[in-house]
């Protein structure tokens, strides 16, 4: 774009800072199951350079059959979907000038609240899980301050509303070790099933970033150039200090 610098190009692509306009979730009478039947994740490209950061979010439902539990409109609108005999995966990009790992995690979790079934959602983001548990149990400090003063408060407000509408008893949240290895399973930090399912949703969140297409290459290029300039500035500064001494 003529006359635009690197930050402005990415900001133009990512669009304005808006709260997603979602339809109301279904009212779910079923209780949440005893074990996780849904996994959400968020992924962020170039997290060290927020101006160039691109986000993606995903949800993985092991064993979900779309014949029995069809997609809600919010799930359809969130991005792409793939259903196999092992389950159903949904992933998509995150737009807006502000991108962070927590916001990406929230976006994935928010999509899951539209699933027309009892939900036990697992996530490897402790920040997201604790916030969601506080909202479910209705005793959080977030209730005593305006959402506008809360980080990612616009999404937390939508999350809170959707939790109430679908029914608190229909949803449960738990933390799951991310990027786990067989050693973590042996140490009983999680089960092998949880390890595999978390890897699946992690890969899907990365696919959500790739939907940004050409902007991914631009973000990586800009971030790499910024890193080179930072390193060069540090080297020059170090040489100046040594010469002055």
């Amino acid at each position: 774009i003529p006359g635009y610098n690197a930050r402005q190009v990415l900001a133009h692509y990512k669009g304005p800072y808006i709260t997603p306009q979602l339809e109301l979730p279904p009212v779910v009478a079923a209780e949440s199951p005893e074990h996780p039947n849904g996994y959400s994740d968020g992924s962020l490209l170039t997290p060290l350079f927020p101006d160039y950061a691109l986000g993606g979010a995903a949800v993985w439902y092991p064993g979900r059959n779309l014949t029995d539990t069809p997609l809600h409109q919010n799930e359809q609108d969130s991005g792409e979907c793939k259903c196999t005999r092992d389950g159903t995966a949904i992933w998509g990009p995150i737009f807006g000038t502000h991108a962070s790992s927590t916001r990406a995690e929230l976006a994935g979790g928010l999509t899951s609240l539209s699933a027309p079934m009892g939900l036990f959602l697992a996530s490897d983001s402790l920040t997201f899980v604790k916030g969601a548990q506080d909202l479910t149990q209705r005793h959080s400090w977030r209730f005593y301050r305006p959402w506008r003063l809360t980080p990612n408060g616009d999404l937390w407000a939508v999350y809170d509303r959707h939790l109430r509408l679908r029914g608190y008893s229909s949803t449960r949240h738990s933390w799951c070790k991310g990027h786990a290895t067989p050693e973590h399973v042996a140490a009983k930090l999680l089960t092998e099933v949880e390890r595999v399912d978390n890897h699946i949703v992690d890969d899907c969140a990365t696919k959500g970033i790739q939907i940004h297409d050409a902007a991914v290459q631009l973000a990586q290029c800009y971030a790499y150039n910024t890193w080179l300039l930072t390193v060069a500035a540090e080297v020059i500064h170090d040489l100046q200090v040594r010469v002055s001494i």
Side-chain angles (χ1 to χ4, degrees):
I1 303 176
Y4 277 38
N5 61 32
R7 292 179 177 84
Q8 291 170 328
V9 169
L10 263 298
H12 175 81
Y13 169 76
K14 292 191 289 185
Y17 181 76
I18 57 174
T19 302
Q21 302 300 311
L22 302 176
E23 293 190 8
L24 297 180
V27 177
V28 179
E31 299 282 328
S32 59
E34 291 298 320
H35 302 285
N37 64 341
Y39 293 79
S40 67
D41 194 25
S43 186
L44 198 66
L45 183 71
T46 67
L48 296 179
F49 302 96
D51 290 330
Y52 311 133
L54 296 173
V59 190
W60 162 246
Y61 303 98
R64 179 178 177 180
N65 187 320
L66 296 186
T67 302
D68 300 327
T69 52
L71 295 178
H72 184 273
Q73 188 62 48
N74 291 336
E75 295 179 297
Q76 297 180 34
D77 295 341
S78 64
E80 298 184 8
C81 173
K82 183 177 182 180
C83 184
T84 67
R85 63 181 182 180
D86 296 323
T88 299
I90 303 171
W91 64 86
I94 298 175
F95 292 96
T97 55
H98 174 67
S100 67
S101 58
T102 301
R103 192 171 184 83
E105 298 282 354
L106 255 171
L110 189 55
T111 299
S112 73
L113 293 185
S114 294
M117 61 185 190
L119 180 66
F120 190 156
L121 187 67
S123 170
D124 59 11
S125 170
L126 193 57
T127 300
F128 162 67
V129 169
K130 283 187 174 181
Q133 288 175 340
D134 283 348
L135 292 177
T136 303
Q137 297 164 7
R138 289 163 284 178
H139 58 69
S140 171
W141 57 266
R142 292 181 175 87
F143 289 103
Y144 303 104
R145 62 189 299 181
W147 289 113
R148 290 181 298 175
L149 300 180
T150 303
N152 299 304
D154 59 329
L155 290 189
W156 278 121
V158 178
Y159 204 93
D160 181 33
R161 183 164 65 252
H162 280 212
L163 269 177
R164 286 187 283 108
L165 290 172
R166 66 174 274 128
Y168 289 112
S169 63
S170 70
T171 311
R172 192 186 309 185
H173 304 81
S174 71
W175 177 78
C176 178
K177 171 68 179 175
H179 308 287
T181 64
E183 288 72 24
H184 293 118
V185 176
K188 298 184 178 181
L189 295 179
L190 75 171
T191 65
E192 177 62 18
V193 171
E194 292 172 339
R195 185 186 75 84
V196 172
D197 287 333
N198 192 69
H199 274 292
I200 291 174
V201 74
D202 184 63
D203 291 340
C204 290
T206 302
K207 291 180 182 179
I209 293 179
Q210 297 305 318
I211 295 179
H212 287 289
D213 200 20
V216 173
Q217 297 181 7
L218 285 175
Q220 291 175 324
C221 179
Y222 293 155
Y224 181 68
N225 288 343
T226 301
W227 175 78
L228 284 179
L229 289 173
T230 302
V231 172
E234 291 176 350
V235 171
I236 292 173
H237 180 267
D238 183 59
L239 289 174
Q240 289 177 332
V241 170
R242 293 186 181 185
V243 170
S244 64
I245 294 177

